[in-house]
Amino acid sequence: AQSVTQLDSQVPVFEEAPVELRCNYSSSVSVYLFWYVQYPNQGLQLLLKYLSGSTLVKGINGFEAEFNKSQTSFHLRKPSVHISDTAEYFCAVSQPAPGYAGGTSYGKLTFGQGTILTVHP
Amino acid sequence: GAGVSQSPSNKVTEKGKDVELRCDPISGHTALYWYRQSLGQGLEFLIYFQGNSAPDKSGLPSDRFSAERTGGSVSTLTIQRTQQEDSAVYLCASSPIRANYGYTFGSGTRLTVV
């Protein structure tokens, strides 16, 4: 079984300030990690993903995340936020497919509860 | 199509009625997923299709929920005898065969049961 915890339900920040949205996961096998963003009345958009290799992952809109296996974390960061970054952000975990790296999943995602990022002028 | 298309975008139904929600995935995507997003439960997996078969339907909350996929393309999620707790946004996503690389989600169907 796997689970995801997003440590902050809401994060208010001023425009041009840096931001970090925290995500911790638990899993007994290797994982793939994702961050999605949801703007009001829209579906989920993939921001970035960690599958393997470099632990620092860069995504769209200037976001990046760092996979830390020892701390089982995948925190999302942006050095300078804009008003347009106001949205809800979801961290998610998936397992590799069966027969690979101990995985048992065909891509089913387990999501955290979400973090609402509000950027103030 | 260019993206995952879901219809209707909004549906209001009376308690006890049946509803059908449609998902049209990206052309060529063999994997298709349904999720439900509700205030109390967050984002929950419902069912996964690979082609027309559903190897994982472990997230369907009750036997009132069913889904099918035809021609390896369009999928329909059916909820029978709707209840107020079924009110949620139902999201569909599709992916190429190597599904772990991240999905493309549709905009969802907002279901309100009154």
Side-chain angles (χ1 to χ4, degrees), chain B residues 14-77:
Chain B
E14 292 180 353
K15 178 181 172 181
K17 300 283 190 183
D18 297 351
V19 294
E20 286 188 352
L21 312 180
R22 176 188 168 105
C23 173
D24 202 339
I26 292 173
S27 178
H29 280 194
T30 58
L32 186 147
Y33 304 78
W34 284 97
Y35 287 81
R36 179 169 72 172
Q37 186 174 24
S38 57
L39 280 176
Q41 302 298 323
L43 276 154
E44 304 171 280
F45 166 81
L46 296 177
I47 188 169
Y48 156 71
F49 285 94
Q50 183 62 247
N52 292 336
S53 64
D56 189 350
K57 51 180 86 171
S58 62
L60 294 178
S62 75
D63 58 8
R64 296 187 294 105
F65 287 72
S66 63
E68 66 174 9
R69 189 178 185 194
T70 56
S73 181
V74 172
S75 176
T76 303
L77 177 68

Side-chain angles (χ1 to χ4, degrees), chain A residues 32 34 36 38 41-46 49 51 88 90 94-97 105-113, chain B residues 33 35 37 39-45 48 50 55-56 58 91 99-108 110:
Chain A
Y32 296 153
F34 306 84
Y36 284 86
Q38 187 175 35
N41 298 315
Q42 295 188 27
L44 296 163
Q45 180 182 6
L46 181 66
K49 60 195 176 194
L51 304 179
E88 189 162 15
F90 293 92
S94 173
Q95 292 184 10
S105 165
Y106 289 100
K108 178 170 68 175
L109 289 172
T110 300
F111 285 91
Q113 290 297 309
Chain B
Y33 304 78
Y35 287 81
Q37 186 174 24
L39 280 176
Q41 302 298 323
L43 276 154
E44 304 171 280
F45 166 81
Y48 156 71
Q50 183 62 247
D56 189 350
S58 62
L91 291 164
N100 293 313
Y101 287 7
Y103 313 150
T104 301
F105 279 87
S107 296
R110 181 175 298 277

Side-chain angles (χ1 to χ4, degrees), chain A residues 55-102:
Chain A
T55 57
L56 182 62
V57 179
K58 294 190 182 297
I60 63 172
N61 301 339
F63 284 93
E64 64 181 32
E66 186 158 19
F67 170 58
N68 188 318
K69 187 175 182 179
S70 63
Q71 297 186 9
T72 60
S73 68
F74 190 55
H75 301 332
L76 181 71
R77 301 185 183 100
K78 186 169 182 178
S80 176
V81 294
H82 302 133
I83 298 286
S84 60
D85 292 324
T86 295
E88 189 162 15
Y89 292 79
F90 293 92
C91 182
V93 62
S94 173
Q95 292 184 10
Y100 180 75

